[in-house]
Amino acid sequence: MKALILSFLLLTSLIIQGQTAVVANSKMNIVYKGLDNPIQVAVPGYLSKEVFVTSDVGVILKDYPNQNYYHLKIDTTNRKDLTISVFVIKNSKKIKFDEQRFRIQNIPEPNIMLGPIDKSGFVFVNQLKSASFVYTSLIGLCIVTGK
């Protein structure tokens, strides 16, 4: 399914815009500080060894087993967005091919619940006695997965 989506993105970028790079955050258009953010990059007509990717914030590393995949890690910044630039090596020269902007967000604070109790403040003793588990949710963290 990922290959089908990537093929569709490559085809539409060739038809609509001519030659541009496809830069896709594998999870969403948001990158999180402190997490490993997977980024997928493809440039039509170029091998992955001819593609060079940089970010103006954080560190971006190539995932060598998966040649079109990169990992972006942001530790600290006050910026609200970042730009990922894609370069190609052509005739021993690095040429800027395309760039894509992503929003930067903090990892949301966890919302800890004791059983079904999801509020702070006054709680009846019977509610506490009936709670059989502790649950944590991250409100505002959106991670989309699937095939």
Side-chain angles (χ1 to χ4, degrees), residues 111-119 123 126-137:
N111 179 31
I112 300 173
M113 299 169 51
L114 182 58
I117 304 166
D118 65 347
K119 62 181 179 178
V123 178
N126 290 341
Q127 286 179 298
L128 287 175
K129 287 181 180 179
S130 68
S132 60
F133 60 91
V134 175
Y135 176 76
T136 302
S137 65

Side-chain angles (χ1 to χ4, degrees), residues 75-129:
D75 289 327
T76 58
T77 185
N78 291 328
R79 293 188 39 189
K80 300 284 184 201
D81 61 5
L82 65 85
T83 301
I84 293 179
S85 300
V86 179
F87 298 87
V88 294
I89 307 297
K90 189 173 186 177
N91 300 328
S92 301
K93 293 183 181 177
K94 188 166 80 168
I95 301 167
K96 189 170 188 177
F97 204 78
D98 202 359
E99 65 182 31
Q100 180 71 40
R101 295 188 82 124
F102 292 96
R103 294 178 290 153
I104 300 172
Q105 290 190 354
N106 290 319
I107 301 169
E109 293 293 324
N111 179 31
I112 300 173
M113 299 169 51
L114 182 58
I117 304 166
D118 65 347
K119 62 181 179 178
S120 60
F122 182 78
V123 178
F124 291 105
V125 174
N126 290 341
Q127 286 179 298
L128 287 175
K129 287 181 180 179

Side-chain angles (χ1 to χ4, degrees), residues 13-124:
S13 70
L14 284 172
I15 292 171
I16 295 172
Q17 301 174 350
Q19 278 208 341
T20 60
V22 176
V23 180
N25 184 335
S26 300
K27 303 291 182 186
M28 67 209 86
N29 69 343
I30 298 171
V31 292
Y32 288 100
K33 292 181 198 176
L35 292 181
D36 184 16
N37 297 280
I39 305 290
Q40 187 174 6
V41 178
V43 181
Y46 290 90
L47 299 173
S48 101
K49 66 182 179 182
E50 300 171 314
V51 176
F52 183 70
V53 180
T54 63
S55 173
D56 60 349
V57 176
V59 177
I60 191 162
L61 300 171
K62 191 169 200 170
D63 183 2
Y64 282 99
N66 300 311
Q67 293 294 312
N68 291 337
Y69 288 87
Y70 296 80
H71 297 278
L72 173 66
K73 181 86 176 208
I74 305 165
D75 289 327
T76 58
T77 185
N78 291 328
R79 293 188 39 189
K80 300 284 184 201
D81 61 5
L82 65 85
T83 301
I84 293 179
S85 300
V86 179
F87 298 87
V88 294
I89 307 297
K90 189 173 186 177
N91 300 328
S92 301
K93 293 183 181 177
K94 188 166 80 168
I95 301 167
K96 189 170 188 177
F97 204 78
D98 202 359
E99 65 182 31
Q100 180 71 40
R101 295 188 82 124
F102 292 96
R103 294 178 290 153
I104 300 172
Q105 290 190 354
N106 290 319
I107 301 169
E109 293 293 324
N111 179 31
I112 300 173
M113 299 169 51
L114 182 58
I117 304 166
D118 65 347
K119 62 181 179 178
S120 60
F122 182 78
V123 178
F124 291 105

